[in-house]
Amino acid sequence: MRSLTFLLAALVMAPPASAQSSLGLAGIEATMGLTASSGTSFATGRLSGDFRITEAHGFQLDLSARDYPGGYLGQIDGHLYLAPTTRSKYGLFASLADVSGREATVAYAGAEGIFALGSDTILQARAGIGYARPGAFDFVAADAQLAHALSDTIAVHVGAQIAEVQEQALDTRPWAAELGLDWHIADGPLFLSAALGATGLAGPDSAPSDTYLRLGLTWRYGGAGGARRPISARPFTAPAPFDPLFRRGLF
């Protein structure tokens, strides 16, 4: 986690010209955050790069880390997408996450997209299949987020996700939902975010819901900024299908 924090800080302080010099690099986004739940706080960090292959094709690469009770989770995500118009981009994703210091790995892949539902409303949706070990758990998962710009600097979002694991050792449906607010500071590259959410487990192996508060600071270079930024400047979010399980130390 310390190395990721140092990398994010170095990128934030780097001049824009250095980010633009890489081959096909269209944008960088770096986020550092803190999540508080059940009297405990956990740090998070994410670094995302958007690479344009052609005018209509692109590739997004993400590196992230999250603290959990059982150790921190390192994750790498790849998103290969097509953006045929200014109102949509969609494609395929693959994600691999691993807990430091013990055997706990989650692989997840599928399809995703970002779509404009109006001049100020954006929908992002994802669905896929995955495999987790130990335990050899197969699962399916889906998530969606609806964002709406209230002004040039303020946006709200509501999101939900669910997964399904049906194995003899674990039969449950991890779920999460959140309501959040983003504040883009003037026309600069920084924006602050805050979200209130809940996670839980449904099904035979159920668990009570647990609420959390998430705060974050994001720095972005490349593309237009503000709450009404176009789809081309919006990165895909990081998939986290087993987040409710990791929060409870059940995986």
Side-chain angles (χ1 to χ4, degrees), residues 19-35:
Q20 199 174 26
S21 62
S22 299
L23 292 176
L25 183 60
I28 293 175
E29 192 167 286
T31 300
M32 299 180 68
L34 192 68
T35 300

Side-chain angles (χ1 to χ4, degrees), residues 160-186:
Q161 69 175 55
I162 190 168
E164 184 172 23
V165 182
Q166 287 187 327
E167 302 288 349
Q168 184 175 359
L170 182 64
D171 188 351
T172 188
R173 291 186 297 277
W175 61 268
E178 76 169 35
L179 175 65
L181 177 73
D182 295 333
W183 174 42
H184 296 257
I185 304 173

Side-chain angles (χ1 to χ4, degrees), residues 63-132:
L63 300 174
S64 61
R66 302 183 185 93
D67 279 335
Y68 286 110
Y72 82 82
L73 182 78
Q75 182 168 320
I76 181 170
D77 309 318
H79 313 258
L80 184 63
Y81 65 84
L82 171 67
T85 71
T86 59
R87 299 182 59 81
S88 66
K89 70 176 183 179
Y90 48 82
L92 304 175
F93 75 91
S95 173
L96 182 64
D98 187 79
V99 177
S100 175
R102 64 183 178 90
E103 184 184 6
T105 303
V106 179
Y108 182 39
E112 62 187 350
I114 306 177
F115 309 96
L117 301 185
S119 59
D120 295 325
T121 305
I122 301 294
L123 172 67
Q124 182 167 175
R126 173 189 295 117
I129 59 174
Y131 174 82

